[in-house]
């Protein structure tokens, strides 16, 4: 914040517009990244399972094809993660949000992008294999494509719980 004649000051985190894309990107690159990852994954755990259930009901064939393409690009990083496989992961989750048909959920894409990028950066080369995670994503995709909302909800939770386990394995605390 800035006041004429008083200069600028940094407001407490509670006053920040945390969903602003620029703020999210700044947080991702800051020393605060480790301390916010729990909060990012928690909000995804609240939002993404319901978005997946809605996507199973409302998604279009075109969206399912885009999701399949994103999953294929993500899977290319099974032996070695690359910027392209990371982008595939981000796209996969963002397509689910968009496929929900809810305009507010689709606007959560920046939060999702920052979270996925941060998780990949933190776990890059430290998680022995990403094949389990990719298989979880495949099951999520199949549940959505086969229009099974309850199963899609469950599989989305499984994807995020695997993320939490990977982060805990790196001694990143979760309450």
């Amino acid at each position: 914040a800035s006041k004429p004649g008083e200069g600028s000051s940094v407001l407490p985190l509670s006053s920040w517009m945390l969903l602003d894309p620029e703020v999210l990107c700044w947080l991702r690159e800051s020393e605060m990244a480790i301390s916010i990852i729990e909060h990012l994954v928690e909000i995804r755990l609240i939002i993404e399972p319901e978005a997946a259930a809605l996507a199973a009901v409302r998604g279009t064939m075109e969206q399912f094809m885009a999701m399949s393409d994103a999953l294929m690009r993500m899977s290319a990083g099974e032996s070695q993660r690359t910027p392209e496989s990371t982008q595939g992961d981000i796209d996969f989750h963002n397509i689910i949000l968009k496929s929900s048909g809810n305009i507010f959920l689709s606007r959560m894409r920046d939060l999702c992008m920052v979270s996925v990028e941060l998780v990949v950066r933190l776990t890059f080369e430290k998680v022995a294999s990403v094949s389990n995670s990719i298989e979880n994503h495949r099951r999520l995709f199949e549940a959505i494509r086969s229009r099974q909302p309850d199963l899609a909800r469950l599989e989305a939770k499984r994807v995020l719980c695997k993320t939490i386990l990977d982060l805990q394995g790196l001694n990143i605390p979760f309450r």
Side-chain angles (χ1 to χ4, degrees), residues 18 20 27 40 44 58 62 70 76 84 86 121 159 167:
L18 294 174
D20 181 279
L27 284 170
L40 288 168
R44 288 179 59 204
R58 298 176 177 169
E62 182 179 275
E84 293 80 18
T86 299
R121 188 173 74 216
V159 166
L167 291 168

Side-chain angles (χ1 to χ4, degrees), residues 36-49 111 115 160 164 174-175:
I36 67 162
I37 190 66
E38 174 186 24
H39 300 279
L40 288 168
V41 174
E42 279 180 347
I43 195 71
R44 288 179 59 204
L45 196 52
I46 293 166
I47 292 170
E48 286 189 42
L111 182 139
S115 176
L160 289 162
I164 291 168
F174 275 79
R175 291 173 278 173

Side-chain angles (χ1 to χ4, degrees), residues 55-70:
V57 173
R58 298 176 177 169
T60 66
M61 287 302 143
E62 182 179 275
Q63 290 168 328
F64 296 162
M65 288 172 43
M67 208 178 298
S68 177
D69 176 66

Side-chain angles (χ1 to χ4, degrees), residues 44 48 51 55 63 67 70 86-100 105-114 116-117:
R44 288 179 59 204
E48 286 189 42
Q63 290 168 328
M67 208 178 298
T86 299
Q87 189 60 51
D89 196 350
I90 293 166
D91 292 346
F92 180 83
H93 290 277
N94 283 337
I95 294 164
I96 291 173
L97 294 172
K98 185 173 183 176
S99 299
S100 73
L105 287 173
S106 66
R107 293 295 299 154
M108 301 301 286
R109 68 181 176 268
D110 296 314
L111 182 139
C112 180
M113 173 199 64
V114 167
V116 171
E117 285 179 347

Side-chain angles (χ1 to χ4, degrees), residues 26-37 118 121:
W26 179 82
L27 284 170
R28 179 191 61 211
E29 301 303 325
S30 76
E31 292 178 11
M32 296 172 59
I34 297 292
S35 65
I36 67 162
I37 190 66
L118 185 53
R121 188 173 74 216

